[in-house]
Amino acid sequence: MDFLESLKALWTSTGLANMILPADPSLCGAEQILHQYGSPIMLLVCCFLLWLGIKKQFEPLLLVPIAFGGILSNIPLAGIADTNGFLGIVYEMGIHRGLFPLIIFMGVGAMTDFGPLIANPITALLGGAAQFGIFGALLLALCCFGFTMPQAASIGIIGGADGPTSIYVTSKLAPELLGAIAVAAYSYMALVPVIQPPIMRLLTTKEERKIEMVQLRAVSQREKIVFPLLVLGLCILFLPDACPLVGMFAFGNLCREAGVVDRLSKTMQNELINIVTIFLGLSVGSKLSSGQFLTIQTLFILILGIVAFGLATAMGVIFAKILNKLSKNPINPLIGAAGVSAVPMAARVVNKVGLEENNQNYLLMHAMGPNVAGVIGSAVAAGVLLSMCH
């Protein structure tokens, strides 16, 4: 009898025995299925995300650790994602307290060249125009889907196409939505080459896509050093809530351009950002548990995320068309699509679409202006949202 009891205890301690939960009489239909089979469903979802990252190379540097963190968080009885578990501790220190997104912003700043933006400052307006996607999705989430203001703000920031900013804002305002928003943000960033071209072609004529822009002027090192300090100074004066993100971004960029701290700059661009990316992905994945992810809210978030991203792309292109009419120098409206802050992928997509219409039309450097402006724009938008929700 003792032996049978021991075998029973051994069986009940296995993951297989705890993979499927007992039926809940208070639930029915789809809710009952999600309750009972939540863990195996999420394990399949995470394996699918792994496939997207490895096979399709959709943002693999983040999608692979996020998916693997999701697998770890759905292991029955392991408790890896609990408060005292490994991923729970990493999440608390790095995500909940906002450390990891700030370090990543510092690394992105160290990798960013503001030369194209400084050479053609008017393209900063395109980075601002693309942020309309954030606030458009926010209004939809608030008015049509029943989300609270902090939740709507967290969903809207997906339109900035900036994963660290999405994580930073969501961890502050709606941590219960972090898993779904992080997956949506990075998935849509990875799908930039799929999502943006149809919108760009729909809103522009063949003649507009063929427009060749004048060569950018040379930008001095002094200008590049002053620029991050100027951006931070304006942020300090007008939007202090955005200073954590903008400040780290400006510091990383200053180290890049100063020319006297190359070791620090290279560390930010490589070892530091790589280490933080590993822990960021795993800790975000820890929020992909079945109870948090398999909800109707997740479906709404995925829908609103693609709306935000599409609207941001469309507004950037439309505003670029307006600038082309008003500017003395021709502006190819395609570069407006780079106003989202998916650096440098959005700029490469613009260049590719431009070359399809005119094989001499190299738009990459022109598109980098609104692209890096979009990084600043998404950080500023995050500051605005945090101010509104405090």
Side-chain angles (χ1 to χ4, degrees), residues 230-301:
L230 177 63
V231 170
L232 179 59
L234 291 173
C235 191
I236 292 170
L237 293 175
F238 298 109
L239 195 61
D241 277 317
C243 281
L245 288 170
V246 174
M248 289 298 96
F249 187 74
F251 174 63
N253 189 252
L254 181 64
C255 289
R256 168 195 172 97
E257 303 299 350
V260 294
V261 287
D262 285 345
R263 285 174 56 192
L264 300 184
S265 177
K266 290 176 181 177
T267 299
M268 293 176 195
Q269 295 178 45
N270 297 288
E271 292 86 356
L272 183 59
I273 197 170
N274 288 338
I275 291 169
V276 173
T277 297
I278 293 170
F279 289 114
L280 174 72
L282 288 172
S283 53
V284 167
S286 72
K287 295 302 174 184
L288 292 181
S289 62
S290 58
Q292 291 178 299
F293 193 82
L294 293 178
T295 65
I296 192 66
Q297 279 189 333
T298 299
L299 177 61
F300 290 159
I301 289 169

Side-chain angles (χ1 to χ4, degrees), residues 15-184:
L16 184 61
N18 291 274
M19 191 71 69
I20 299 174
L21 298 177
D24 186 342
S26 65
L27 301 176
C28 60
E31 289 183 336
Q32 181 65 263
I33 293 173
L34 294 179
H35 169 74
Q36 283 192 274
Y37 302 97
S39 289
I41 290 173
M42 282 308 302
L43 288 173
L44 289 175
V45 169
C46 292
C47 288
F48 175 68
L49 294 177
L50 273 179
W51 179 78
L52 289 178
I54 297 171
K55 178 67 175 179
K56 297 297 183 181
Q57 298 185 19
F58 285 178
E59 287 291 325
L61 293 179
L62 268 160
L63 207 54
V64 169
I66 286 175
F68 201 83
I71 290 174
L72 294 177
S73 70
N74 284 283
I75 299 174
L77 305 179
I80 299 175
D82 292 347
T83 304
N84 295 320
F86 168 68
L87 293 184
I89 295 170
V90 174
Y91 173 84
E92 175 63 26
M93 298 302 296
I95 301 293
H96 183 66
R97 300 193 180 188
L99 180 63
F100 290 163
L102 296 178
I103 295 176
I104 286 183
F105 244 66
M106 183 169 62
V108 171
M111 292 187 286
T112 300
D113 180 8
F114 278 116
L117 178 60
I118 298 171
N120 193 7
I122 196 172
T123 57
L125 298 176
L126 302 178
Q131 307 313 312
F132 279 99
I134 293 174
F135 296 97
L138 183 154
L139 291 175
L140 278 175
L142 196 61
C143 300
C144 302
F145 289 85
F147 287 98
T148 64
M149 182 61 188
Q151 290 176 332
S154 301
I155 294 168
I157 202 68
I158 296 172
D162 189 329
T165 303
S166 297
I167 292 171
Y168 183 78
V169 171
T170 305
S171 67
K172 299 290 185 184
L173 299 181
E176 70 278 7
L177 302 181
L178 181 62
I181 287 176
V183 169

Side-chain angles (χ1 to χ4, degrees), residues 163-216:
T165 303
S166 297
I167 292 171
Y168 183 78
V169 171
T170 305
S171 67
K172 299 290 185 184
L173 299 181
E176 70 278 7
L177 302 181
L178 181 62
I181 287 176
V183 169
Y186 282 110
S187 297
Y188 295 144
M189 284 173 62
L191 289 172
V192 164
V194 177
I195 297 171
Q196 285 198 317
I199 299 173
M200 295 157 67
R201 295 188 186 101
L202 179 65
L203 296 175
T204 57
T205 64
K206 196 175 185 68
E207 290 70 28
E208 286 175 328
R209 295 194 292 272
K210 289 181 177 180
I211 292 176
E212 296 186 24
M213 298 178 64
V214 297
Q215 187 173 354
L216 297 174

